């Protein structure tokens, strides 16, 4: 039981610290799973992430109340190979606490979230036993792994000193001399006849129970697509999602499944609201013991009014992601800044307008501008700047490829004499994540060319993530209003003699929806603009004049 963005296939793309940004779909997949199980009168074991239990405790309680077992998949979706025994023990405690609080039931079982356990990982079973877990289901005799000890591929007791823990490996079948697990991705990718044949052979030849697994998100074919995923990742995650109800239905009709706790006869009754010890408890106790600060003794704070302009063109898919991010940004910056948001709908042709109204239309500090014709990112930003009523104005990308939380560090850089603060992933202290190498090379080479013709020597000239001084932008007009216009803004400020400051930050690949960039066309446009700037420096009469409207 996990969400579509928490899976192993996307570990390199989606950071745990960014989970909150994604639209949660865990309820859709879980309720479809519950309904499918009810239809076939089957009870199952739900291995739940502790993080999910804290986010949607009522859903975890519903799983338990509908007769299913709730077990642990750790707190975060972490590979055990990246944890020490101590870190693993802490993760187990934190997850168990969250799941038992949410479900009101005792947690007896565990399954590792990332990868399968190998024989080198048997220490994890020792830790599980020491913490009172009764069983684990983290082994799968996959391909050539665990081939030396066939008995590890079926349910067995693992002895730990004077104690023991049950191991329930995922059932597998032999294909071309290799072990292939039954369930999950294999159930979706392999031909149905082959998987069914493997199940029949197991039931006929093994006395141990057949353990079949799948993920709740595999029953949510309408989940958002992670557009940043590579072809192999998309194939692994999305292929045949729409077929899962039918493929699972055959198993649920043909095989008398039950939960692992029911099979072992374990008590899953109500449990007290136990609090497992965590490292954070000490700091919490210290905070509670600290002397209270009266309201009168606090330093008064003055919020600086800041407008954030967000250009939006056909961004229906990314808007929930943006809304979750901005909610966090506003909470983090609220002590120092009075944030007002202007969302510029750049004549979108999808459901952007309706989504903007639904997500932001009722907020007093949000305005929605709808343009009658598409003006591109730069044109939308200029429209927003013209409508802003504050001296400090920021522009951010709708897809949050730059983290808007960094505005807390960028805004103070807009000191006296500075007209613009721009984000710079190509700065020596900047960074990029998951951006194709060829695109980085093109961007860096364009920056080198711009440094030849502009006074402000920057590492990045193309970022939309900026902080502007309103008076410096007043009346500016552009020859280009698309992505090229974003660079043209900076060029005109440079030609007018303004000072521009860079802020090193991280650029990430877009997660949801499609990028509007047309790389070859934009590169050609940049080369033309650089040529005009160069001619302007040589002859003085050709180029980009620092132009404003009368």
């Amino acid at each position: 039981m996990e969400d579509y963005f928490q899976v192993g296939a996307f570990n390199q793309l989606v950071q745990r610290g960014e989970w909150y940004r994604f639209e949660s779909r865990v309820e859709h997949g879980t309720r479809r799973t519950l309904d499918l199980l009810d239809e076939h009168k089957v009870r199952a074991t739900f291995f739940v992430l502790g993080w999910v239990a804290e986010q949607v405790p009522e859903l975890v309680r519903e799983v338990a109340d509908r007769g299913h077992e709730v077990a642990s998949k750790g707190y975060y979706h972490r590979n055990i190979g990246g944890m020490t025994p101590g870190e693993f023990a802490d993760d187990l405690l934190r997850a168990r606490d969250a799941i038992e609080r949410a479900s009101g039931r005792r947690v007896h079982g565990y399954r590792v979230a990332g990868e399968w356990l190998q024989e080198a990982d048997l220490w994890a079973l020792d830790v599980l036993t020491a913490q009172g877990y009764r069983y684990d289901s983290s082994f799968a005799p996959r391909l050539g792994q665990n081939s030396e000890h066939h008995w590890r591929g079926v349910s067995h007791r693992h002895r730990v000193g004077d104690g023991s823990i049950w191991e329930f490996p995922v059932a597998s079948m032999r294909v071309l001399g290799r072990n292939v697990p039954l369930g999950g991705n294999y159930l979706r990718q392999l031909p149905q006849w082959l998987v069914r044949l493997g199940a029949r052979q197991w039931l006929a030849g093994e006395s141990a129970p057949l353990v079949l697994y799948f993920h709740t998100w595999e029953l949510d074919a309408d989940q958002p697509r992670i557009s940043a995923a590579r072809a192999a990742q998309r194939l692994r995650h999305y292929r045949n999602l729409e077929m899962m109800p039918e493929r699972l239905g055959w198993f649920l009709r043909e095989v008398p499944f039950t939960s692992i706790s029911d099979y072992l006869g374990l008590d899953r009754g109500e449990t007290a609201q136990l609090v497992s010890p965590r490292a954070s408890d000490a700091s919490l106790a210290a905070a509670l013991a600290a002397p209270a600060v009266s309201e009168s003794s606090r330093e008064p704070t003055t919020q600086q009014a800041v407008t954030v302009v967000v250009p939006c063109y056909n961004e229906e898919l990314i808007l929930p992601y943006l809304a979750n991010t901005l909610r966090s940004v506003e909470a983090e910056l609220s002590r120092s800044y009075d944030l007002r948001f202007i969302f510029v709908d750049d004549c979108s042709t999808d459901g952007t307008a309706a989504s903007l109204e639904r997500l932001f239309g009722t907020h007093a500090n949000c305005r929605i501008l709808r343009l009658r014709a598409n003006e591109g990112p730069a044109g939308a930003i200029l429209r927003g700047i013209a409508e802003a009523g504050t001296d400090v104005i920021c522009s951010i990308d709708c897809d949050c490829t730059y983290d808007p939380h960094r505005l807390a560090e960028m805004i103070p850089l807009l000191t006296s004499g500075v007209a613009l603060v721009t984000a710079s992933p190509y700065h020596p202290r900047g960074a990029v994540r998951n951006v194709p190498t060829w695109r980085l090379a093109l961007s860096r080479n364009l920056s080198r060319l711009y440094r030849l013709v502009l006074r402000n020597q920057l590492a990045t000239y193309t970022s939309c993530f900026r902080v502007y001084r309103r008076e410096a932008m007043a009346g500016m007009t552009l020859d280009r209003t698309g992505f090229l216009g974003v660079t043209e803004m900076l060029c005109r400020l440079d030609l007018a003699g303004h000072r521009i400051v860079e802020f090193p930050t991280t650029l990430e690949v877009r997660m949801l929806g499609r990028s509007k960039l047309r790389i070859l066309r934009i590169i050609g446009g940049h080369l033309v603009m650089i040529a005009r700037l160069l001619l302007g420096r040589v002859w003085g009469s050709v180029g980009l004049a620092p132009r404003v409207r009368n």
Side-chain angles (χ1 to χ4, degrees), residues 267-514:
D267 175 27
R268 292 194 284 118
E270 296 287 333
T271 181
Q273 296 292 302
L274 302 175
V275 181
S276 301
R278 295 198 299 264
S280 58
D281 291 344
S283 57
L284 177 61
L288 293 174
V293 180
S294 67
E295 291 294 329
S296 59
S297 65
R298 287 197 177 101
E299 289 289 333
T301 58
T302 302
Q303 291 178 310
Q304 180 182 5
V306 174
T307 299
V308 179
V309 177
V310 189
C312 306
Y313 175 64
N314 288 351
E315 299 287 9
E316 179 183 8
L317 293 177
I318 201 72
L319 286 176
Y321 183 91
L322 172 70
N324 291 336
T325 304
L326 293 185
R327 191 178 300 114
S328 173
V329 170
E330 190 173 9
E332 185 173 306
L333 273 64
S334 61
R335 183 168 178 82
S336 300
Y337 301 105
D338 173 17
L339 296 181
R340 297 96 182 267
F341 297 93
I342 297 179
F343 301 90
V344 185
D345 178 8
D346 195 16
C347 197
S348 297
T349 58
D350 64 354
T352 294
S355 293
L356 284 172
E357 191 63 40
R358 175 174 56 85
L359 293 167
F360 305 107
T362 59
H363 295 267
N365 64 336
C366 295
R367 292 179 59 194
I368 301 171
L369 301 180
R370 295 187 176 88
L371 305 186
R372 295 183 178 180
N374 180 264
E375 299 187 11
I381 291 170
L382 279 184
R383 290 276 193 155
I385 290 174
E387 294 292 330
T390 59
D391 294 331
V392 176
I393 305 165
C394 310
S395 64
I396 68 172
D397 299 272
C398 192
D399 57 14
C400 299
T401 48
Y402 294 98
D403 185 359
H405 292 86
R406 305 310 296 274
L407 289 175
E409 300 161 83
M410 292 175 68
I411 295 171
L413 298 179
L414 196 72
T415 56
S416 177
V418 176
L420 175 68
V421 178
T422 184
S424 179
Y426 308 128
H427 188 281
R429 296 197 305 277
V432 294
R433 289 188 61 249
N434 300 309
V435 178
T437 304
W438 62 268
R439 181 177 164 186
L440 300 181
L442 288 173
S443 298
R444 288 194 171 104
N445 286 325
L446 282 175
S447 293
R448 292 189 183 99
L449 294 175
Y450 275 113
R451 284 196 292 273
L452 295 175
V453 294
L454 293 175
R455 182 176 59 86
N456 285 274
Q457 297 292 287
L458 308 176
T460 306
Y461 292 85
T462 56
S463 169
C464 287
F465 188 36
R466 294 173 174 173
V467 181
Y468 308 83
R469 189 173 300 283
R470 179 185 174 84
E471 61 183 11
M473 300 297 296
M476 179 182 287
T477 60
L478 301 171
D479 292 334
R480 304 161 180 82
T481 56
F483 288 99
L484 283 170
V486 174
T487 302
E488 186 182 341
M489 286 186 206
L490 189 150
C491 292
R492 292 195 181 280
L493 290 175
D494 181 275
L495 293 173
H498 290 292
R499 184 183 170 205
I500 299 168
V501 171
E502 277 189 296
F503 174 75
T505 190
T506 300
L507 170 65
E508 301 200 45
V509 69
R510 181 187 178 102
M511 290 294 172
L512 301 167
R514 293 185 177 275

Side-chain angles (χ1 to χ4, degrees), residues 169-191:
V170 172
S172 63
M173 60 182 175
R174 298 292 285 179
V175 178
L176 300 177
R178 296 287 184 172
N179 293 313
V180 177
L182 294 174
N185 188 43
Y186 302 92
L187 180 58
R188 283 190 291 113
Q189 305 291 353
L190 296 177

Side-chain angles (χ1 to χ4, degrees), residues 78 82-92:
R78 298 180 66 184
M83 291 187 279
T84 66
E87 290 172 335
F88 180 55
D90 288 343
D91 188 74
L92 287 175

Side-chain angles (χ1 to χ4, degrees), residues 132-198:
Y133 281 84
R134 306 292 296 276
Y135 71 86
D136 173 73
S137 186
S138 301
F139 278 87
R142 184 176 54 166
L143 302 181
Q145 298 170 355
N146 299 317
S147 59
E148 295 182 4
H149 302 287
H150 171 72
W151 57 272
R152 290 203 183 278
V154 297
S155 57
H156 61 274
R157 275 187 181 273
H158 175 80
R159 299 292 176 181
V160 181
D162 295 332
S164 65
I165 183 171
W166 274 98
E167 180 61 44
F168 283 87
V170 172
S172 63
M173 60 182 175
R174 298 292 285 179
V175 178
L176 300 177
R178 296 287 184 172
N179 293 313
V180 177
L182 294 174
N185 188 43
Y186 302 92
L187 180 58
R188 283 190 291 113
Q189 305 291 353
L190 296 177
Q192 287 190 71
W193 66 265
L194 179 60
V195 179
R196 292 176 182 179
L197 176 62

